[in-house]
């Protein structure tokens, strides 16, 4: 998506060769109109495939995932990183370890919201090593739901997320694919 690539070039900050800061339009401040266009693009790619729910992981995935869910006309389910005090029984849970952040958390889904009748689209802001997405897939499989694919805003294609997901039979759709990053230089994969 040219619009997102331009936004990344104009406003993104390559902190080093691995980490891109996008606080101004994804992680800290959000432009709703821009996010709506992003959501419509991802929804358009996956429309007509019988998707019944969109699933994301808190917190930065929520804004784009809500826009996708709105465009597809289906509910959004937010996977929690901490089991809340009110969400305490009938849960699916799995541990996710993030290489990017060096942290682990227990990804949690209430059994109430996903069933074997669901065909789910996962939406997230970044695809790096794909650990978060793989954790989400583990939870969806525990619920016997099927996975339609994953839509991400930014894929760092120099990291192994896509291969890991494709190896599990999951289609990845990324709006911007970063091939290489250095301070002051961001190179995208050719479309
Ligand atoms: P991982 O396997 O290395 O953990 O990669 P994964 O794709 O699961 O990403 C882990 C977390 O790191 C995610 O955030 C993801 O959005 C974030 N992330 C990965 N690479 C970058 C990057 O280059 N820039 C930014 N800004 N974030 C990146 P999270 O843990 O789900 O947290 P949240 O931001 O959604 O709250």
């Amino acid at each position: 998506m040219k619009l997102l690539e331009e936004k990344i070039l104009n406003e993104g900050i390559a902190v080093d060769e691995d980490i891109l800061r996008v606080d101004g339009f994804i992680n800290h401040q959000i432009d709703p109109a821009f996010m709506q266009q992003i959501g419509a693009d991802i929804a358009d790619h996956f429309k007509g495939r019988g998707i019944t729910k969109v699933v994301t992981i808190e917190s930065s995935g929520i804004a784009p995932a809500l826009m996708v869910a709105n465009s597809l006309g289906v509910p959004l389910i937010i996977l929690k990183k901490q089991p809340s005090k009110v969400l305490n029984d009938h849960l699916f849970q799995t541990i996710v370890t993030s290489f990017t952040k060096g942290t682990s958390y227990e990804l949690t889904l209430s059994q109430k919201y996903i069933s074997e009748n669901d065909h789910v689209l996962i939406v997230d802001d970044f695809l790096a090593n794909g650990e978060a997405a793989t954790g989400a897939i583990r939870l969806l499989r525990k619920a016997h739901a099927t996975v339609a694919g994953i839509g991400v805003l930014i894929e760092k294609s120099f990291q192994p997320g896509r291969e890991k997901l494709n190896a599990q039979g999951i289609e990845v759709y990324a709006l911007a694919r970063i091939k290489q990053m250095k301070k002051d230089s961001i190179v995208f994969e050719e479309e």
Side-chain angles (χ1 to χ4, degrees):
M1 188 197 201
K2 277 276 163 264
L3 197 63
L4 180 58
E5 289 185 356
E6 276 163 23
K7 197 98 168 162
I8 292 168
L9 289 176
N10 293 333
E11 296 177 38
I13 299 164
V15 178
D16 53 30
E17 291 180 3
D18 288 325
I19 298 292
L20 176 70
R21 288 193 63 169
V22 288
D23 292 354
F25 57 102
I26 294 177
N27 289 140
H28 205 12
Q29 170 175 264
I30 293 164
D31 172 347
F34 176 65
M35 210 44 106
Q36 200 166 16
Q37 282 178 277
I38 280 178
D41 185 310
I42 295 176
D44 202 45
H45 180 83
F46 286 99
K47 75 173 180 229
R49 301 215 206 159
I51 289 160
T52 60
K53 304 260 166 81
V54 172
V55 159
T56 191
I57 298 155
E58 62 178 355
S59 58
S60 301
I62 296 174
L66 181 62
M67 296 301 185
V68 177
N70 190 42
S71 288
L72 289 172
V74 299
L76 167 66
I77 315 293
I78 301 159
L79 302 181
K80 306 284 191 178
K81 288 182 179 160
Q82 299 291 334
S84 81
K85 291 199 176 74
V86 287
L87 202 105
N88 49 16
D89 50 12
H90 308 296
L91 304 176
F92 296 116
Q93 291 184 299
T94 190
I95 301 280
V96 172
T97 301
S98 165
F99 294 116
T100 307
K101 297 197 170 172
T103 52
S104 286
Y105 53 87
E106 195 155 35
L107 203 60
T108 301
L109 163 68
S110 169
Q111 294 183 9
K112 221 165 140 180
Y113 300 119
I114 298 281
S115 76
E116 71 274 12
N117 300 320
D118 284 312
H119 192 48
V120 175
L121 173 62
I122 300 169
V123 174
D124 212 350
D125 56 340
F126 272 91
L127 177 61
N129 293 288
E131 286 302 310
T134 301
I137 292 161
R138 276 200 301 277
L139 284 189
L140 293 168
R141 292 199 166 140
K142 282 186 194 209
H144 303 290
T146 50
V147 180
I150 171 162
V152 294
L153 278 54
I154 303 173
E155 174 192 351
K156 295 186 289 181
S157 62
F158 53 88
Q159 293 185 307
R162 178 180 287 265
E163 290 89 81
K164 204 179 283 180
L165 295 169
N166 287 347
Q168 298 172 70
I170 305 294
E171 178 193 340
V172 176
Y173 177 64
L175 296 186
R177 303 186 65 209
I178 298 177
K179 187 172 160 182
Q180 201 186 8
M181 274 193 317
K182 279 188 221 131
K183 271 200 163 139
D184 306 321
S185 137
I186 297 171
V187 181
F188 295 101
E189 297 278 0
E190 302 286 332
E191 281 188 22

